[in-house]
């Protein structure tokens, strides 16, 4: 069964809340978009086109979204716990 992006995002958001995330769904999805945009190439494909390493990509998410690294890590875990990100 193929899930729509909306269904997958709902799973990620539910996991985020289970992990103790405090953002509302709108804010979470905005930050999730930033997370994927900044981390996908280096984390999933090993492509340093945007960032030299994984750590730099995570700090970029923090800077762009204006959220602490603790929140970036929650977003990562919410995705990775549902569908392995690496």
């Amino acid at each position: 069964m193929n899930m729509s992006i909306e269904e997958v995002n709902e799973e990620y958001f539910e996991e985020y809340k289970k992990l103790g995330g405090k953002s509302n769904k709108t804010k979470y999805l905005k930050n999730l978009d930033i997370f994927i945009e900044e981390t996908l190439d280096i984390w999933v494909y090993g492509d340093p086109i945007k960032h030299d390493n994984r750590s730099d990509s995570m700090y970029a998410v923090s800077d762009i979204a204006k959220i602490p690294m603790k929140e970036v890590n929650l977003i990562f875990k919410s995705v990775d716990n549902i569908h392995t990100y690496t």
Side-chain angles (χ1 to χ4, degrees):
M1 175 173 103
N2 290 332
M3 296 177 71
S4 70
I5 191 71
E6 291 82 13
E7 291 170 318
V8 172
N9 284 346
E10 185 63 33
E11 277 191 305
Y12 293 162
F13 181 67
E14 288 174 11
E15 183 66 15
Y16 168 79
K17 287 302 210 179
K18 287 179 190 173
L19 293 168
K22 303 294 184 209
S23 292
N24 64 37
K25 189 174 183 179
T26 301
K27 176 102 172 132
Y28 171 79
L29 292 175
K30 179 182 171 206
N31 291 338
L32 177 63
D33 284 344
I34 294 167
F35 174 81
I36 291 171
E37 177 67 28
E38 295 302 316
T39 64
L40 186 70
D41 291 326
I42 192 73
W43 278 80
V44 176
Y45 304 113
D47 187 348
I49 194 162
K50 287 188 93 168
H51 302 287
D52 291 335
N53 56 58
R54 289 176 172 181
S55 180
D56 286 352
S57 73
M58 297 289 271
Y59 282 108
V61 174
S62 177
D63 290 343
I64 294 166
K66 296 178 178 47
I67 57 175
M69 285 303 296
K70 181 179 179 184
E71 182 73 4
V72 175
N73 286 320
L74 274 178
I75 294 167
F76 169 75
K77 288 178 186 175
S78 73
V79 173
D80 195 53
N81 287 356
I82 301 299
H83 298 107
T84 304
Y85 200 59
T86 57

